[in-house]
Amino acid sequence: MKKSFLFAIDPKTEEILVSAPEKGSNKINFIERIQRQQNELLFQAVADLTSIAKAPDFDMANFKAKDKVCQTTYNKHVENK
């Protein structure tokens, strides 16, 4: 089973914060910061995900679809390192 990642954006530094939950625990482990310039596509996907999550008319199907884009884009980013 692939690991699921959590994403956030630091608006001050324009970095993507990547974390992952620890299996069987409530603990979340920080993985890395990615500068916007390093992966603009991932930055935009995470920004869209954040917008969907904050929307007053939250749509779970839309959120899951964009989260899948973020997961896939991040996994590709890791492969290309």
Side-chain angles (χ1 to χ4, degrees):
M1 185 172 130
K2 281 191 173 182
K3 190 177 226 179
S4 287
F5 298 98
L6 304 171
F7 304 98
I9 291 179
D10 182 336
K12 291 180 184 176
T13 62
E14 290 197 331
E15 292 176 312
I16 304 156
L17 307 174
V18 183
S19 302
E22 196 171 287
K23 189 171 181 156
S25 171
N26 290 336
K27 186 175 180 185
I28 296 175
N29 295 319
F30 172 75
I31 296 177
E32 68 176 312
R33 286 178 168 263
I34 303 169
Q35 294 178 351
R36 181 179 187 162
Q37 305 89 295
Q38 288 181 285
N39 197 324
E40 182 68 32
L41 184 62
L42 180 58
F43 185 88
Q44 288 303 321
V46 174
D48 291 345
L49 184 68
T50 302
S51 294
I52 292 167
K54 290 180 176 180
D57 56 343
F58 178 76
D59 180 347
M60 181 59 86
N62 225 359
F63 181 84
K64 285 183 177 183
K66 186 53 78 171
D67 183 60
K68 186 172 183 175
V69 170
C70 292
Q71 300 291 331
T72 303
T73 305
Y74 178 68
N75 284 324
K76 195 69 168 170
H77 172 81
V78 171
E79 284 177 20
N80 292 332
K81 277 188 173 178

